[in-house]
Amino acid sequence: FGAGCRPCCKMRAVPWGFNAQLEARPPAAGWYSTADMLSRLALATALFCYCLATQPLRLARFALQYNRLWHGGFTGTAMTLLLPVTPAVLAAIAWGERLKQFVMREDEWDPRFGEEPCIWYQPPPSKAAAIIYDAFRPLADWVAAFVLFGDNRVAIDHTIRDTICTKEYWYGLLDGVGARRPLQLGSWDGHALRDM
């Protein structure tokens, strides 16, 4: 919804709303198929376009902060100047990384060489789906960060390194945009449990 947007009660009735997520069925071609990856990429791209059309200045501020943090000062600034084609830029970076993996030995480029891979970052088994996934994942992360906390500098910094690890901070951000979150029954202040 983006900071400042408020979801309405009618959101539950739309086919893509919260209830639809709870009742999700595998796509006809299966999870992580080429069709599934194309669908996810299309949704992330559509959300990016919506954010660009409805909140262009805020998205530009977010992009500058996020891109400079993740890609360095010069490269991040250059990427922000290319804001309207961000999905293509993020895809090109991801495909460049894949090409680097193909050309170089893993121990030359990956500092985690030899570690067990994280399941969240395993590409789909199909080569075509994996190439689409490479374009989808960084765009989905980028757009989701903007939707959840807008151009909040502290929250953007937390996409790469955590410094504030309290639920209250994150609950405040989520509550500020009307996001759903678990009911908080209590809070620990370091010495005692307090009811909420």
Side-chain angles (χ1 to χ4, degrees):
F1 301 111
C5 296
R6 298 280 183 246
C8 66
C9 297
K10 297 178 184 177
M11 288 297 288
R12 292 183 176 181
V14 297
W16 58 85
F18 186 69
N19 288 340
Q21 294 171 23
L22 291 176
E23 299 166 4
R25 305 278 187 273
W31 296 118
Y32 297 103
S33 64
T34 302
D36 181 34
M37 290 294 100
L38 281 171
S39 172
R40 293 176 190 220
L41 178 59
L43 289 171
T45 304
L47 182 56
F48 168 80
C49 292
Y50 175 80
C51 292
L52 183 62
T54 59
Q55 301 181 56
L57 295 178
R58 186 171 206 167
L59 186 66
R61 286 191 306 268
F62 164 82
L64 183 63
Q65 294 174 48
Y66 187 94
N67 293 341
R68 291 181 67 141
L69 178 67
W70 277 90
H71 302 284
F74 178 77
T75 305
T77 302
M79 288 173 65
T80 303
L81 293 173
L82 299 171
L83 184 62
V85 293
T86 291
V89 170
L90 292 173
I93 291 169
W95 292 331
E97 287 294 317
R98 181 169 288 274
L99 181 62
K100 183 169 73 171
Q101 292 173 13
F102 181 74
V103 173
M104 298 174 71
R105 290 190 337 256
E106 185 175 14
D107 61 342
E108 292 177 347
W109 63 266
D110 191 349
R112 301 165 302 169
F113 179 68
E115 292 181 15
E116 189 66 29
C118 178
I119 191 161
W120 301 111
Y121 301 109
Q122 291 297 309
S126 156
K127 294 289 184 200
I131 290 170
I132 298 164
Y133 172 81
D134 287 343
F136 160 72
R137 198 182 89 211
L139 177 62
D141 293 346
W142 196 95
V143 173
F146 176 71
V147 169
L148 282 175
F149 43 76
D151 59 355
N152 181 307
R153 178 173 286 287
V154 173
I156 292 170
D157 285 346
H158 278 75
T159 63
I160 203 164
R161 60 183 163 270
D162 291 331
T163 56
I164 299 175
C165 298
T166 62
K167 287 186 285 188
E168 289 73 25
Y169 173 75
W170 293 103
Y171 282 173
L173 288 177
L174 294 172
D175 291 346
V177 296
R180 291 177 181 261
R181 64 172 180 85
L183 176 64
Q184 186 174 4
L185 300 176
S187 178
W188 181 258
D189 67 5
H191 304 295
L193 179 66
R194 293 185 302 190
D195 290 334
M196 300 305 282

